[in-house]
Amino acid sequence: MDILVRSLVIFAFLWFVVRVGGKREVAQLSAFDMILLITVGDLVSQGIVQEDYSVTAAIIAVATFTLAGILLNDLTFRFPRFRPWLAGRARVVVRDGEPLLQTLAGERMTIQDLHEAARQNGIRRLRDIELCVLENDGSFSFFTRNDDKDDKDGSSGGPDPLG
């Protein structure tokens, strides 16, 4: 029973740390960040199982984390009012070609992170972006001015996916 309680406490703490820590994709993590995460994993496991290295302790800890994750997802589904608080919300980081620096700072992201994500999506200049949204999972969704032009004149180059 002790391992179950410890697992729940560590799960709640890690959930809080991830929520406060900002949105970043694993692909955006540096080598140091990855090493830090692995080290945190080892420290967390020691805190959960103390000196009980049995298979049963490991199964209880993993099962507790799994069930807590499922419960958290279920809560976000059943209670939409709490979804932004539990799962986060998407944030607009560029509007009409202008980066929203306060929003980026609030998400602990730099303008360089934004430029890198834009380049990875084939966007050369921020002024070409009508809207950029930082999604809950840390990925960016870009809507460029060219997208609108293609949609308005019907020359998107392919069949309409909706019919």
Side-chain angles (χ1 to χ4, degrees), residues 42-63:
D42 185 46
L43 294 172
V44 164
S45 71
Q46 291 176 23
I48 291 173
V49 296
Q50 262 185 338
E51 294 185 27
D52 184 352
Y53 297 111
S54 69
V55 173
T56 306
I59 289 172
I60 292 171
V62 170

Side-chain angles (χ1 to χ4, degrees), residues 41 66 89:
T66 302
R89 69 173 56 138

Side-chain angles (χ1 to χ4, degrees), residues 94 96-99 123-130 145:
V94 176
D96 295 323
E98 293 294 322
I123 301 170
R124 295 180 190 183
R125 296 174 300 270
L126 292 184
R127 69 176 180 246
D128 294 336
I129 300 170
E130 182 177 346
R145 297 180 198 287

Side-chain angles (χ1 to χ4, degrees), residues 48-105:
I48 291 173
V49 296
Q50 262 185 338
E51 294 185 27
D52 184 352
Y53 297 111
S54 69
V55 173
T56 306
I59 289 172
I60 292 171
V62 170
T64 302
F65 266 53
T66 302
L67 291 174
I70 290 169
L71 177 64
L72 196 59
N73 286 337
D74 192 49
L75 286 173
T76 61
F77 178 73
R78 291 181 189 267
F79 302 102
R81 277 191 352 212
F82 298 114
R83 190 172 298 143
W85 187 75
L86 292 171
R89 69 173 56 138
R91 308 276 314 263
V92 174
V93 294
V94 176
R95 186 181 312 274
D96 295 323
E98 293 294 322
L100 304 177
L101 298 176
Q102 284 184 315
T103 305
L104 284 171

Side-chain angles (χ1 to χ4, degrees), residues 11 17 21 30 37 64 113 117 126 142 144 149 163:
F11 179 87
V17 167
S30 67
L37 283 175
T64 302
D113 293 331
L126 292 184
F142 290 96
T144 60
K149 214 182 292 180

Side-chain angles (χ1 to χ4, degrees), residues 100-162:
L100 304 177
L101 298 176
Q102 284 184 315
T103 305
L104 284 171
E107 294 294 337
R108 294 173 188 80
M109 300 190 94
T110 65
I111 192 75
Q112 289 80 14
D113 293 331
L114 182 61
H115 281 284
E116 181 181 347
R119 286 191 305 271
Q120 289 174 349
N121 281 275
I123 301 170
R124 295 180 190 183
R125 296 174 300 270
L126 292 184
R127 69 176 180 246
D128 294 336
I129 300 170
E130 182 177 346
L131 193 69
C132 174
V133 178
L134 177 60
E135 303 293 351
N136 291 347
D137 65 358
S139 64
F140 291 92
S141 295
F142 290 96
F143 303 93
T144 60
R145 297 180 198 287
N146 294 338
D147 290 344
D148 280 349
K149 214 182 292 180
D150 291 344
D151 290 343
K152 286 179 185 170
D153 66 9
S155 62
S156 61
D160 183 3
L162 298 176

